[in-house]
Amino acid sequence: MTRYIRHAAAFCALLLIALLVNATRVQVFQAGSLDANEANRRNAIVRFEQPRGDILVDGRPVTGSRDTGEQLRYERTYKNGPLYAPVTGYASQVYGTTFLEHAEDDILSGTDPMLAPLPLWNDITRAQNPGGKVETTIKAAVQQAAYAGLGGKRGAVAALEPSTGKILALVSAPSYDPERLSGTDRAVADTWAELNSGATKPMLNRAIRQTYPPGSTFKVVTAAAALDSGAVTDPDAPTKSPNPYTLPGTSTQLTNEVDGCTNASLRYAFQWSCNTVFAKLGVDTGLDPMVGTARNFGFNDRGLRIPSSVAASNFDTSMDRAQLGLSAIGQYDTRATPLQMAMVSAAVANGGSVKAPHLVDRTTTEDGDVVDTAGTKSLRQAMNPGTAAQLREMMTQVVDEGTGTNAAIPGVTVGGKTGTAQHGIDNSGTPYAWFISWAQADDDPEPSVAVAVVVEDAAADRGDISGGGSAAPIAKAVMEAAIGAH
Amino acid sequence: MAGTSAGTAPPAVPAVRVPRRRGTELTLLVVAVLLSVYGYCAVGLAKNDTVPPGAAGYGAGLGVLALVAHLAVRLRAPYADPLLLPIAVLLNGLGLVLIYRLDLETPHDEAAPAQLIWSTAGVGLFIAAVLFLRDHRVLQRYAYLSVVTALILMIVPIFFPAVNGARIWIRIGGFSIQPGEFAKILLAVFFASYLAANRNALAYTGRTLWRFKRLQLPTGRVLGPIVAIWLLSVGVLVLERDLGTSLLFFGLFVILLYVATGRIGWIAVGLLLAALGAFAVGSLEPHVHSRVEDWLHPFASIDAGRGPNQLAQSLFAFAAGGMLGTGLGLGHSILIGFAAKSDFILATAGEELGLSGLCAIFLLYALLVERGFRAGLALRDAFGRLLAIGLASILALQVFVIAGGVMGLIPLTGMAMPFLAQGGSSVVTNWIMVALLIRVSDSARSQPVPTPAEAE
């Protein structure tokens, strides 16, 4: 019997070995994929186990955390939620994260290895770092002015510091309070459904995720291309432009809202926004210089991140001459985000150099030790500095005595460009009112702010919509705030 | 002296003094109790940053139980294997720690206090068994009483309502027991007794199949019991929806039959019948079928949008533990849900103690089993040998079936991890099993050391 007992013992040993092998399989070899399984709630539990790091505006947190004592313990709270929603985004237990909450999640949630005091420290201790802080470039006063200026009208504002690319304001209206998406209860799901079903799309970040036809504000780009390519050498010389202008190869006639555009100079056409002159100028300049300049300003860039990804602004790269003429006045397929148009304005203000727009000044640990600092990075040279100087002058004239007088600020040099963008089938939609501008206080060495405002106010009377009328006053308020905060 | 082989020939040479090793046992017991108290404190420190208020009481209680059990062994089974009791105490202590740890997540449903009471009852029965059962061979006389009692115990739950899909409970008032657990020991006693009495008939009669001597099968008359047991196990399974217990009984019987007769034919028949039965039940019985489906596709419910099922949650827990574990109190195996403290307790061990802790636990079980086999090898009487092998096999099979189930190695069956899992019947039964192992090991080790000539 002894022999058979040994056999039975060997069988039991075999069972044990099978268990050990299987335990190793599950705990070592499959552990990675099991840990990463989306249905594994541990990730969420660990994630919400500690307060999330704060997002700071002007050194003050605009976010907070609330201890709920539940399984997903800490909920995100927001101060001035609707005001900063386009900057912070939301951090929801149920619906994930967006914008800075998403782009800087590793810092905020404490998982970024850079937060650890020593490399590999956390691998040894298995401890989690407290969430770090994200200091934004946003100026509260500028943000507030932009938000108040829009006054709930559908639209967006983007404001930049031209010399650095720091984003001073990023506003989208109507907005929403991201705090309503924190937590796990029924109300969160209801809020989500409500926000998504609304026709006004309050969660859409119009400043960086929505593109609009830029209308006449695009004439800045066209003018830069014409001057840089040599299509125009003297801004004050007549441009041999007919009025109306028949788009090449078609019978479509382009007209103007203002008089005096026949054969007008570039300066006059810019000041009074002559469609005929700029459409012809685009055609004269040619497709390649136009595409090249648009690209240098940032159009067709699918990789722009601030660090949230920015929707690509579009300027078609293959068009016939009629389409090019329309595109040159910001119509046809030309589309731009408000941030892109702020970059256009900033490029003019900054001698033609486009600085990388960014929203995060620096990230720190909870204790304030710097993890990463954003430096000023040049993206591209959009135009020659001489061209930029000429455009600055022309933009200033727009505000001094052209279509943009509503943006004038006493004691401050302001340059601007209005735009009214037709859209919809046969231009049936309510036009978008645009205004892009920059401002330089007289005692400042260089412009301190560049702004783009778009108002898509469906409720307004169609006749009243013009960049100068509804968008320029908002830009003015933003510039005043920026100069005040400067 | 109790349990000595009084009937065998006296030693021809002057007796070598057999070491008793009671001091070893006491030392190991102290270690086991200290380890348990340490675990208890670790949970409290991890969860609440304080040593749990009951730590001293818990340690004292466990220490007193261990000490009294040790004294009983010292008094009545002085030659018993010194590893058995410390391993049982350590596993039981660790189980209490894990249950206490899970209780902290479910403050309205505490299981540790009841488990402590059952453990005390188990140790009480252990002591009683060690004190009053002077010779394991006495049990041989009660073989048929055992099997009748076992059958009654197994059949009774059919008349009680199902709990979580399985009809294995008797509920009287707030008090519930799982009689199948006790039936394990009774069946082991019966099998050992029956096979010890009939092993020659089983081994040397029957007809040869395919001309291979090894595949010689017994006649229908002798084949009767195994078929009866097989039908019984499948019957239990179908009526009570208890795959684990039926597998356990069947495996136990096949192992003992093989050990008693050495006939591979039995194993062939056993495997064939088991495969047939398992296939039939696995594909026909919906409750068992769903278990098989869960085993094959543990993440199907996630893909279907219903979230992870218990098995998936259990796999997540093991994975979260990794090599070293999260540390006691720092895991999230409570996500497994209602069976976290019972069937799935191993997942908590796997998550919080890691692969290293799990290996330690498996090795503790392995040692327990090995000590049972060792006693079986050393004993001279067939009944005692088969009883020891039977008890050890029950432990091994049960650990394999439940651990394999919660780790996705085999389909899941509702069974309790010996000593670790919440469950009064289970912990009491396990203590009785350890008492019987103590008794047989005492008999085995108190036998005079064979001379070199005898050992051949």
Side-chain angles (χ1 to χ4, degrees):
Chain A
M1 206 197 264
T2 300
R3 194 169 146 230
Y4 310 132
I5 292 177
R6 292 191 193 282
H7 288 172
F11 171 70
C12 290
L14 209 64
L15 294 183
L16 174 85
I17 290 166
L19 285 181
L20 289 177
V21 169
N22 188 54
T24 311
R25 178 183 69 104
V26 174
Q27 299 203 272
V28 178
F29 294 102
Q30 292 185 347
S33 71
L34 288 168
D35 285 343
N37 193 307
E38 284 196 11
N40 194 342
R41 205 167 160 82
R42 277 171 190 74
N43 299 326
I45 291 173
V46 170
R47 182 181 179 74
F48 294 104
E49 214 160 40
Q50 62 179 16
R52 197 168 164 78
D54 279 324
I55 297 173
L56 274 57
V57 168
D58 278 347
R60 276 189 290 274
V62 295
T63 55
S65 276
R66 179 170 55 227
D67 185 354
T68 62
E70 291 166 13
Q71 194 180 50
L72 304 183
R73 190 165 161 190
Y74 284 96
E75 280 181 12
R76 193 57 143 171
T77 59
Y78 294 88
K79 293 156 195 157
N80 270 328
L83 176 63
Y84 292 110
V87 176
T88 59
Y90 55 76
S92 166
Q93 270 85 345
V94 187
Y95 300 106
T97 52
T98 53
F99 301 117
L100 275 190
E101 296 276 28
H102 181 74
E104 297 292 348
D105 187 59
D106 287 353
I107 293 284
L108 295 169
S109 64
T111 55
D112 193 318
M114 294 294 289
L115 292 170
L118 293 168
L120 302 178
W121 179 253
N122 294 63
D123 292 345
I124 298 162
T125 61
R126 280 178 166 251
Q128 204 188 351
N129 298 308
K133 294 178 189 170
V134 173
E135 295 186 11
T136 66
T137 56
I138 297 286
K139 294 280 174 215
V142 185
Q143 181 84 359
Q144 188 71 53
Y147 188 75
L150 280 172
K153 283 190 289 240
R154 254 190 266 176
V157 176
L160 292 171
E161 191 170 83
S163 57
T164 60
K166 286 183 180 176
I167 296 175
L168 304 177
L170 205 61
V171 168
S172 174
S175 194
Y176 69 101
D177 189 348
E179 190 165 325
R180 295 176 65 202
L181 293 173
S182 289
T184 52
D185 54 0
R186 179 75 216 158
V188 171
D190 292 344
T191 302
W192 180 257
E194 175 204 318
L195 291 176
N196 276 297
S197 64
T200 55
K201 296 187 191 161
M203 284 198 294
L204 172 64
N205 190 339
R206 290 171 161 83
I208 61 169
R209 287 284 171 83
Q210 174 76 327
T211 62
Y212 300 88
S216 299
T217 57
F218 192 77
K219 287 170 183 165
V220 176
V221 179
T222 304
L227 287 165
D228 266 4
S229 70
V232 173
T233 48
D234 178 3
D236 296 309
T239 52
K240 297 176 194 161
S241 312
N243 184 14
Y245 173 65
T246 307
L247 292 171
T250 69
S251 55
T252 309
Q253 290 196 326
L254 220 51
T255 55
N256 295 305
E257 303 275 325
V258 293
D259 299 328
C261 287
T262 310
N263 227 1
S265 69
L266 177 63
R267 189 184 303 281
Y268 182 90
F270 193 92
Q271 192 173 346
W272 297 105
S273 206
C274 297
N275 288 337
T276 52
V277 175
F278 273 90
K280 180 172 179 294
L281 208 51
V283 175
D284 291 348
T285 304
L287 183 64
D288 287 349
M290 283 294 289
V291 169
T293 301
R295 186 175 284 148
N296 284 340
F297 273 105
F299 282 81
N300 297 343
D301 180 355
R302 294 183 188 285
L304 184 61
R305 298 188 163 271
I306 61 164
S308 312
S309 74
V310 178
S313 299
N314 180 64
F315 188 79
D316 278 0
T317 51
S318 63
M319 295 182 275
D320 63 26
R321 282 153 43 91
Q323 290 162 346
L324 179 58
L326 280 174
S327 296
I329 58 168
Q331 299 289 341
Y332 189 56
D333 277 347
T334 308
R335 294 187 73 87
T337 58
L339 178 69
Q340 172 61 64
M341 293 319 291
M343 287 162 70
V344 168
S345 182
V348 172
N350 194 45
S353 171
V354 181
K355 301 300 179 190
H358 56 275
L359 203 44
V360 177
D361 203 25
R362 57 179 197 162
T363 50
T364 69
T365 65
E366 192 199 27
D367 299 334
D369 297 334
V370 175
V371 174
D372 193 19
T373 310
T376 298
K377 273 184 301 200
S378 291
L379 281 182
R380 282 165 296 260
Q381 187 71 23
M383 64 198 122
N384 295 328
T387 303
Q390 285 176 314
L391 276 172
R392 260 165 85 154
E393 199 187 321
M394 287 191 272
M395 284 181 82
T396 314
Q397 282 169 340
V398 169
V399 175
D400 286 350
E401 50 197 26
T403 52
T405 49
N406 282 342
I409 306 169
V412 176
T413 307
V414 177
K417 183 72 195 82
T418 56
T420 309
Q422 313 284 333
H423 69 107
I425 298 158
D426 293 332
N427 296 334
S428 56
T430 312
Y432 300 130
W434 275 97
F435 193 75
I436 66 172
S437 63
W438 49 264
Q440 177 178 4
D442 287 347
D443 47 357
D444 280 348
E446 58 191 353
S448 56
V449 60
V451 186
V453 176
V454 65
V455 180
E456 41 167 319
D457 196 345
D461 179 9
R462 187 168 175 153
D464 287 347
I465 293 174
S466 72
S470 49
I474 300 171
K476 178 186 172 184
V478 171
M479 289 185 292
E480 280 176 332
I483 285 171
H486 182 51
Chain B
M1 195 183 298
T4 50
S5 46
T8 53
V13 288
V16 181
R17 192 168 172 271
V18 180
R20 295 185 176 190
R21 303 247 183 255
R22 295 278 61 84
T24 311
E25 182 180 81
L26 187 59
T27 311
L28 289 174
L29 275 174
V30 170
V31 173
V33 171
L34 287 180
L35 270 175
S36 303
V37 174
Y38 168 74
Y40 191 69
C41 294
V43 169
L45 284 169
K47 296 296 285 183
N48 301 324
D49 290 329
T50 56
V51 172
Y58 171 81
L62 200 64
V64 166
L65 282 180
L67 192 65
V68 176
H70 168 73
L71 289 177
V73 173
R74 199 176 262 270
L75 188 65
R76 283 295 164 83
Y79 292 95
D81 195 313
L83 282 184
L84 295 168
L85 184 60
I87 291 176
V89 167
L90 179 54
L91 285 172
N92 199 348
L94 183 59
L96 283 165
V97 166
L98 292 175
I99 293 167
Y100 165 74
R101 180 259 167 282
L102 290 168
D103 278 351
L104 294 179
E105 311 275 346
T106 57
H108 304 296
D109 181 23
E110 292 197 340
Q115 185 75 359
L116 191 57
I117 292 170
W118 281 113
S119 302
T120 310
V123 175
L125 283 172
F126 169 91
I127 292 165
V130 171
L131 288 184
F132 297 115
L133 181 67
R134 307 295 291 269
D135 184 345
H136 64 271
R137 284 169 298 188
V138 172
L139 292 174
Q140 204 168 0
R141 287 181 222 147
Y142 301 110
Y144 288 94
L145 181 63
S146 293
V147 75
V148 170
T149 314
L151 286 179
I152 291 171
L153 283 175
M154 284 163 67
I155 288 165
V156 165
I158 292 172
F159 305 106
F160 286 81
V163 177
N164 301 324
R167 265 177 217 280
I168 52 177
W169 296 88
I170 299 177
R171 263 174 200 276
I172 300 161
F175 196 72
S176 63
I177 56 169
Q178 213 173 329
E181 288 283 344
F182 303 111
K184 286 191 307 200
I185 303 179
L186 296 170
L187 275 180
V189 169
F190 167 70
F191 286 162
S193 170
Y194 178 87
L195 292 170
N198 297 296
R199 52 189 285 252
N200 288 338
L202 285 159
Y204 301 117
T205 63
R207 62 184 78 109
T208 309
L209 269 190
W210 303 304
R211 297 185 188 171
F212 290 110
K213 196 163 185 259
R214 280 290 173 85
L215 276 174
Q216 193 179 31
L217 292 181
T219 57
R221 186 175 54 81
V222 216
L223 194 67
I226 193 178
V227 175
I229 296 298
W230 174 61
L231 286 176
L232 185 71
S233 64
V234 177
V236 168
L237 165 59
V238 173
L239 290 171
E240 305 186 350
R241 298 173 177 174
D242 190 358
L243 184 64
T245 309
S246 75
L247 209 64
L248 183 65
F249 292 170
F250 193 68
L252 171 68
F253 191 58
V254 170
I255 288 175
L256 288 184
L257 207 46
Y258 172 74
V259 169
T261 65
R263 301 286 283 275
I264 303 276
W266 285 117
I267 300 200
V269 172
L271 287 179
L272 190 71
L273 293 180
L276 275 177
F279 177 77
V281 174
S283 48
L284 296 177
E285 214 284 324
H287 179 76
V288 179
H289 180 69
S290 72
R291 289 272 172 95
V292 174
E293 283 296 310
D294 284 348
W295 170 60
L296 291 172
H297 312 289
F299 303 118
S301 67
I302 297 172
D303 298 337
R306 280 178 278 114
N309 60 21
Q310 277 190 314
L311 179 58
Q313 289 285 20
S314 172
L315 291 173
F316 289 161
F318 281 107
M323 296 283 281
L324 297 175
T326 59
L328 275 171
L330 300 173
H332 300 288
S333 53
I334 197 70
L335 291 170
I336 291 166
F338 77 86
K341 296 174 196 172
S342 48
D343 294 3
F344 285 91
I345 192 96
L346 198 66
T348 303
E351 177 164 10
E352 307 201 342
L353 301 176
L355 181 60
S356 42
L358 212 51
C359 285
I361 290 173
F362 285 149
L363 289 176
L364 286 178
Y365 285 120
L367 268 178
L368 212 51
V369 173
E370 187 256 352
R371 291 284 145 164
F373 273 96
R374 178 168 289 208
L377 280 170
L379 278 167
R380 306 252 171 101
D381 68 304
F383 170 73
R385 302 187 109 187
L386 288 169
L387 182 62
I389 305 310
L391 295 173
S393 301
I394 287 174
L395 269 170
L397 286 171
Q398 191 159 354
V399 168
F400 175 76
V401 166
I402 182 63
V406 297
M407 284 196 295
L409 181 62
I410 57 170
L412 185 66
T413 54
M415 279 183 101
M417 202 71 198
F419 289 112
L420 283 188
Q422 175 196 3
S425 321
S426 172
V427 79
V428 165
T429 306
N430 289 320
W431 273 113
I432 298 173
M433 285 171 62
V434 171
L436 294 179
L437 283 175
I438 291 267
R439 172 53 60 223
V440 291
S441 75
D442 177 55
S443 299
R445 293 162 65 95
S446 64
Q447 290 167 146
V449 176
T451 60
E454 277 182 308
E456 275 306 304

